[in-house]
């Protein structure tokens, strides 16, 4: 029982760590919309933590939280505690959870490398993989294939926001969900826009990017800022990403988490550490 409470605690810390990263991305984007500085990506947001009060300690919390979140995503993909199933749709969702695990794991290792001599080099989640693919001898179809990944993730965010399907995983009363629901939908939609813009940047300008510097959150926000009414769009996106951070914090508090899924993810080891 104590072990299960510990697993649940780590999972919730993971959601909170993701929220900390995105609240910084959102706030910096809103500041950039007013002409105060530049946008940052998730890695840049992590770096900015060191400049905050108790930054070193906070960085440790975020690093451990992101790695815990990555581990929980793997458990979700393998043990399927949310019941996505083994049909085509379920397998696609679970594959997306594996991608999320890689994204957060790499970002967690990057955060760890900033405060610990034993940390890995890390990188912006998934960026190293995209860098290698962009560096291969390629034709346009390969770039389009790479672009299809963030496009699919973005569309999935839009669907999740529209259907509010996240609600089924929340253990909160109706009064709480009255506030959580609209904020979460706004945040998911905003993050979906970011992924769709990344896909567009890859599909229509992939050859412009260095293999060591593929487009990410920062490039997506900068692209929106360059459009007509760009500052307004950037401010809305900043607010949306801050809303996604609030959605992450809400998950940290109210999301249904089944820690016994770890036992199912480790066949034959259900009785360990009891």
């Amino acid at each position: 029982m104590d072990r299960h409470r510990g697993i649940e605690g780590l999972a919730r810390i993971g959601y909170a760590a993701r929220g900390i990263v995105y609240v910084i991305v959102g706030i910096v984007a809103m500041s950039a919309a007013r002409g105060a500085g530049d946008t940052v990506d998730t890695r840049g947001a992590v770096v900015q933590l060191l400049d905050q009060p108790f930054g070193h300690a906070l960085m440790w919390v975020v690093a451990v939280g992101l790695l815990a979140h990555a581990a929980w995503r793997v458990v979700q993909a393998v043990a399927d505690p949310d019941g996505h199933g083994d049909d085509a749709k379920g397998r696609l969702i679970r594959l997306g959870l594996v991608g999320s695990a890689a994204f957060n794991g790499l970002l967690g290792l990057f955060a760890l490398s900033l405060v610990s001599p034993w940390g890995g080099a890390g990188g912006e989640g998934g960026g190293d993989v995209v860098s290698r693919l962009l560096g291969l001898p390629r034709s346009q179809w390969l770039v389009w294939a790479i672009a299809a990944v963030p496009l699919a993730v973005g569309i999935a965010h839009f669907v999740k926001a529209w259907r509010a399907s996240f609600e089924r995983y929340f253990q909160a009363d109706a009064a709480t969900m009255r506030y959580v629901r609209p904020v979460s939908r706004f945040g998911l939609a905003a993050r979906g826009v970011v992924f769709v813009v990344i896909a567009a940047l890859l599909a229509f300008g992939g050859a412009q990017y260095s293999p060591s510097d593929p487009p990410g959150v920062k490039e997506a926000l900068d692209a929106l800022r360059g459009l007509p009414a760009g500052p307004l769009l950037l401010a809305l996106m900043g607010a949306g990403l801050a809303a996604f951070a609030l959605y992450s914090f809400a998950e940290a508090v109210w999301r249904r988490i089944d820690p016994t899924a770890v036992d199912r993810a480790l066949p034959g080891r259900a009785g360990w550490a009891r």
Side-chain angles (χ1 to χ4, degrees), residues 66-146:
L66 288 170
L67 292 173
H69 191 58
W72 177 244
R73 286 303 202 204
V74 171
V75 171
Q76 286 180 297
V78 175
D80 193 23
D82 296 325
H84 296 300
D86 288 321
D87 59 8
K89 179 181 176 181
R91 288 181 179 275
L92 186 61
I93 293 173
R94 292 164 73 176
L95 182 61
L97 290 169
V98 174
S100 177
F103 183 100
N104 288 285
L106 288 170
L107 190 59
L109 288 175
F110 173 73
L112 190 63
S113 72
L114 298 177
V115 291
S116 169
W118 304 284
E124 174 139 12
D128 291 342
V129 176
V130 176
S131 296
R132 293 191 186 99
L133 290 174
L134 285 176
L136 293 174
R138 65 192 185 281
S139 57
Q140 187 62 40
W141 69 264
L142 178 57
V143 177
W144 288 340
I146 298 171

Side-chain angles (χ1 to χ4, degrees), residues 169-190:
Y169 306 118
F170 274 73
Q171 295 176 313
D173 57 35
T176 299
M177 292 306 299
R178 189 182 310 148
Y179 298 101
V180 170
R181 184 183 303 111
V183 171
S184 300
R185 296 176 83 170
F186 181 34
L188 287 164

Side-chain angles (χ1 to χ4, degrees), residues 3 5-7 10 16 53 63 82 89 96 103 119 121 130 160 168 185-186 203 206 211 215 225 230 242 261 267 272:
R3 175 172 62 87
R5 280 200 296 267
I7 292 169
L10 282 174
D82 296 325
K89 179 181 176 181
F103 183 100
V130 176
K160 191 173 182 179
R168 71 177 69 120
R185 296 176 83 170
F186 181 34
R225 182 164 55 175
W272 66 280

Side-chain angles (χ1 to χ4, degrees), residues 237-251:
M237 286 302 302
L241 293 175
F244 181 79
L246 293 178
Y247 164 67
S248 298
F249 294 140
E251 285 194 295

Side-chain angles (χ1 to χ4, degrees), residues 246-259:
L246 293 178
Y247 164 67
S248 298
F249 294 140
E251 285 194 295
V253 177
W254 292 296
R255 197 190 195 282
R256 185 182 71 246
I257 294 173
D258 178 12

Side-chain angles (χ1 to χ4, degrees), residues 182-220:
V183 171
S184 300
R185 296 176 83 170
F186 181 34
L188 287 164
R191 195 171 186 233
V193 170
V194 168
F195 279 111
V196 169
V197 173
I198 290 172
L201 291 174
L202 281 167
F204 300 109
Q208 301 175 14
Y209 295 100
S210 165
S212 62
D213 189 24
V217 174
K218 175 177 169 57
E219 287 73 22

